[in-house]
Amino acid sequence: RPLAPPRAAATRDGDRLDAPSSASNSSRRVALGGAALGTLLATLPTRDAAVASDAGDWSSPGLAAEDPLPDVKYVKTGDGLVYEQVNQGAGEPAKAGDVAVFHWIIRRANGYFIYGSIDCGIGCGNGDPSEYRLGPDGNLIAGLDELLTGMRPGEKRRALVPPALGYVRKGMEPQPPEFGQKRQVEAHANEPLVFEVKLIKTRTKA
């Protein structure tokens, strides 16, 4: 799908966002994104790695990270979620019952962009973060709930969410706002999906 024309980086609530601004920046994200996802998938079973072997369209927008960690560390949880912590946050970690305020980007496992909450043009939101309650009383997909729990404000993580921790039933969140994007999520719900999330803050009340 065609990408939107480049836009300048936006700032909202002190959260620097990264939108494509030049060919060199785009190329750098392609290299970094493809390499990171390739390393991420190396920890997975062969079948999932084969599904996501194509680097895909990594020139689409991503979330910026202040002070990225020098050594990328990957974590694989017992239920199959694999993620990398991109940078350190600060403050109290998010926990069940909190309302998490965060930006998110979703791609197919081959890297192709579906939606981002950041203001980056066609296929993106208006820059307003999403808000969802964490824990059993919330309606987030299990993989994203697990990913956000324990994150500190300002922290960014990138994850490969297996289908069993994804959109296992209709109505689960988060959802893109437009019909076509919702259809894409539904059509690829049986595939691993790549999420980038950046926690902005947490609240104790909805």
Side-chain angles (χ1 to χ4, degrees), residues 4 18 32 40 50 54 75 78-79 101 107 112 141 152 159 162 185 204:
D18 182 23
L32 292 178
L40 184 69
D54 180 5
V75 176
D79 51 10
V101 182
R107 297 180 173 92
Y112 284 94
I141 60 173
R152 300 175 187 273
V185 170
T204 57

Side-chain angles (χ1 to χ4, degrees), residues 29-87:
R29 272 196 303 278
V30 171
L32 292 178
L37 185 59
T39 306
L40 184 69
L41 292 171
T43 66
L44 296 175
T46 303
R47 178 180 177 276
D48 287 340
V51 169
S53 59
D54 180 5
D57 184 7
W58 281 94
S59 62
S60 55
L63 300 176
E66 301 290 345
D67 300 321
L69 297 175
D71 298 316
V72 176
K73 296 181 180 179
Y74 298 93
V75 176
K76 184 174 184 178
T77 67
D79 51 10
L81 176 70
V82 181
Y83 70 88
E84 61 169 318
Q85 180 178 342
V86 178
N87 69 320

